[in-house]
């Protein structure tokens, strides 16, 4: 792996001053006596609540509508089907889990609102895998009602874009303005603790200069947790996914910008290395000898005959950036991403003119 001191030049890693927003805080690691606060509102937390309710049914001798299937193996589709089950107690089981999870989400949100960087937040967009499901949206809606009833002055809303696509679209907000000249699309990568996504993003600048019409026109998802790769194997796969997107752009006759935006868990340093928070990624991504943007730039040094610019930021930040066109009516807003953990970021809109 090359020394990142001699890597192709990049700018804007982990920037707090972006074209349309100021990043006030991200990856806040709030704790209580039991550990990280965010763990109480993660996908694992939802499954733990479901498992607890199933154990109660077993102790009571009542029928478990999920049968013998292990909780971790129950699909989201099956859970959503139970919401409309004709058996009242079967539907009530899922509604009960949603209510308990919503209470936890509201509690966690209260803690964030007390954090210095989150003062006076007016809206929180909730992203991550759960946000696109009916169960996730009900949980978010219920938590929002709880917070509104308390007079917190904040609302929770599901993220606008598909969870698999939000961070890829948000990556376009990292690109310097000159990148867009003469180009209509760019490459993006979204790295998570379970999945890695690579996408081709159509900017649609003719329809909307503010990127509100940007959309993902090519997507590859790799569930790396199932394959248990080494760090080097993960990087090789990311490169292969990006090359596939370059081929796709050529087949679609897109004018691809020489830019790759990357979202990655953890605290990202200004030089593009990872300070901490990458513990769920394959191998040691926090090593001083590892620098992902350089590895990508070395493997893909040019795009369309121009040197590649690779910029990396936190993955939750990128999900939040995808909402910039939809948050013009508020000044201070944040994002919470329900995934392997609970990603978080808080923004203040920059005044135009």
């Amino acid at each position: 792996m090359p020394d990142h001191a001699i890597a192709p030049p990049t700018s804007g890693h982990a920037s707090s001053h972006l074209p349309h927003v100021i990043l006030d805080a991200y990856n806040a690691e709030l704790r209580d006596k039991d550990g990280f606060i965010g763990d109480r509102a993660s996908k694992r937390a939802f499954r733990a609540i479901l498992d607890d309710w199933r154990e109660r049914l077993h102790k009571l001798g009542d029928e478990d509508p999920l049968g013998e299937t292990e909780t971790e193996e129950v699909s989201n589709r099956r859970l959503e089907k139970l919401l409309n089950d004709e058996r009242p107690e079967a539907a009530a089981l899922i509604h009960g889990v949603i209510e308990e999870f919503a209470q936890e989400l509201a509690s966690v949100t209260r803690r964030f609102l007390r954090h210095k960087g989150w003062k006076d937040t007016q809206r929180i967009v909730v992203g991550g895998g759960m946000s696109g499901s009916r169960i996730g949206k009900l949980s978010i809606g219920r938590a929002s009602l709880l917070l509104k009833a308390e007079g917190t002055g904040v609302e929770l809303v599901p993220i606008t874009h598909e969870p698999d696509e939000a961070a890829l679209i948000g990556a376009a907000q990292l690109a310097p303005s000159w990148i867009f000249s003469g180009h209509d699309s760019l490459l993006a990568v979204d790295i998570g603790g379970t999945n890695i996504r690579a996408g081709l993003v159509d900017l649609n600048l003719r329809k909307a200069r503010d990127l509100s019409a940007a959309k993902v026109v090519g997507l590859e998802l790799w569930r790396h947790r199932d394959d248990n790769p080494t760090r080097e194997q993960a990087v090789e796969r990311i490169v292969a996914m990006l090359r596939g997107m370059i081929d796709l752009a050529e087949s679609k006759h897109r004018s691809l910008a020489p830019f790759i935006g990357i979202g990655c868990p953890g605290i990202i340093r200004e030089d593009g290395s990872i300070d901490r928070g990458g513990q769920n990624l394959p191998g040691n991504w926090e090593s001083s000898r590892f620098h992902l943007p350089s590895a990508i730039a070395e493997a893909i040094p040019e795009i369309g005959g121009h040197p590649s610019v690779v910029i990396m930021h936190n993955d939750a930040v990128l999900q939040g950036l995808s909402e910039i066109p939809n948050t013009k009516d508020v000044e201070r807003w944040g994002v919470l991403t329900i995934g392997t953990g609970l990603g978080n970021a808080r923004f203040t809109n920059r005044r135009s003119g």
Side-chain angles (χ1 to χ4, degrees), residues 202-218:
D202 193 331
L203 301 172
N204 277 322
L205 293 175
R206 291 183 179 179
K207 291 183 179 179
R209 297 296 301 177
D210 64 356
L211 296 172
S212 59
K215 63 179 181 179
V216 175
V217 294

Side-chain angles (χ1 to χ4, degrees), residues 14 46 98 220 233:
F46 181 89
I98 290 172
E220 182 178 351
Q233 288 171 334

Side-chain angles (χ1 to χ4, degrees), residues 18-76:
L18 296 160
H20 301 290
V21 295
I22 294 172
L23 176 61
D24 303 303
Y26 79 93
N27 207 60
E29 299 169 314
L30 306 184
R31 295 174 179 264
D32 62 11
K33 61 181 178 63
D34 297 318
F36 288 111
I37 293 292
D39 289 344
R40 290 162 36 194
S42 64
K43 288 193 296 185
R44 291 174 182 170
F46 181 89
R47 293 286 170 158
I49 294 170
L50 174 60
D51 198 51
D52 180 62
W53 273 101
R54 295 183 70 193
E55 287 185 13
R56 296 184 202 184
L57 291 178
H58 294 157
K59 289 179 180 178
L60 291 170
D62 288 357
E63 178 188 0
D64 181 348
L66 295 172
E68 299 298 322
T69 307
E70 294 291 331
T71 298
E72 291 301 318
E73 301 301 321
V74 177
S75 68
N76 290 331

Side-chain angles (χ1 to χ4, degrees), residues 45-300:
F46 181 89
R47 293 286 170 158
I49 294 170
L50 174 60
D51 198 51
D52 180 62
W53 273 101
R54 295 183 70 193
E55 287 185 13
R56 296 184 202 184
L57 291 178
H58 294 157
K59 289 179 180 178
L60 291 170
D62 288 357
E63 178 188 0
D64 181 348
L66 295 172
E68 299 298 322
T69 307
E70 294 291 331
T71 298
E72 291 301 318
E73 301 301 321
V74 177
S75 68
N76 290 331
R77 180 176 296 180
R78 187 174 178 187
L79 292 178
E80 294 197 359
K81 187 176 180 180
L82 281 178
L83 281 173
N84 300 313
D85 199 289
E86 294 181 355
R87 297 167 295 172
E89 288 193 356
L93 169 65
I94 308 304
H95 282 284
V97 175
I98 290 172
E99 174 65 24
E100 192 167 330
F101 182 76
Q103 294 278 355
E104 291 287 359
L105 179 57
S107 177
V108 168
T109 302
R110 291 186 201 102
R111 283 294 304 273
F112 274 99
L113 293 174
R114 294 199 295 269
H115 186 270
K116 181 180 179 180
W118 283 69
K119 184 180 179 182
D120 298 328
T121 301
Q122 298 161 278
R123 180 180 300 155
I124 297 176
V125 177
V126 184
M130 281 191 66
S131 65
S133 68
R134 176 66 175 162
I135 286 174
K137 290 177 180 177
L138 286 172
S139 300
I140 295 164
R142 177 58 177 154
S144 185
L145 285 177
L146 290 168
L147 293 167
K148 286 181 180 178
E150 297 168 5
T152 59
V154 68
E155 64 172 342
L156 269 61
V157 298
I159 201 163
T160 304
H161 299 284
E162 289 293 326
D164 283 340
E165 300 181 356
L168 302 175
I169 291 172
Q173 298 284 352
L174 297 180
S177 58
W178 61 265
I179 284 288
F180 298 139
S181 179
H183 301 104
D184 57 21
S185 55
L186 53 75
L187 302 175
V189 180
D190 177 20
I191 300 169
T194 301
N195 301 309
I196 294 176
R197 305 166 184 85
L200 173 63
V201 180
D202 193 331
L203 301 172
N204 277 322
L205 293 175
R206 291 183 179 179
K207 291 183 179 179
R209 297 296 301 177
D210 64 356
L211 296 172
S212 59
K215 63 179 181 179
V216 175
V217 294
L219 174 67
E220 182 178 351
L221 184 149
W222 173 38
R223 189 176 171 86
H224 65 82
R225 176 160 289 187
D226 292 343
D227 295 342
N228 194 30
T230 65
R231 185 183 67 193
E232 286 66 31
Q233 288 171 334
V235 173
E236 289 174 2
R237 180 66 180 268
I238 292 171
V239 169
M241 293 164 75
L242 285 169
R243 286 174 175 158
M245 290 300 116
I246 292 173
D247 291 341
L248 179 63
E250 291 180 356
S251 70
K252 289 180 173 289
H253 306 291
R254 294 293 198 273
S255 178
L256 193 58
F259 176 86
I260 302 172
I262 303 175
C264 186
I267 299 290
I268 312 302
R269 296 190 182 99
E270 290 183 2
D271 68 352
S273 60
I274 302 171
D275 180 56
R276 63 185 185 278
Q279 64 273 5
N280 292 316
L281 302 176
N284 180 11
W285 290 49
E286 299 166 18
S287 168
S288 61
R289 294 180 295 175
F290 178 67
H291 191 260
L292 181 62
S294 295
I296 299 298
E298 181 187 33
I300 306 176

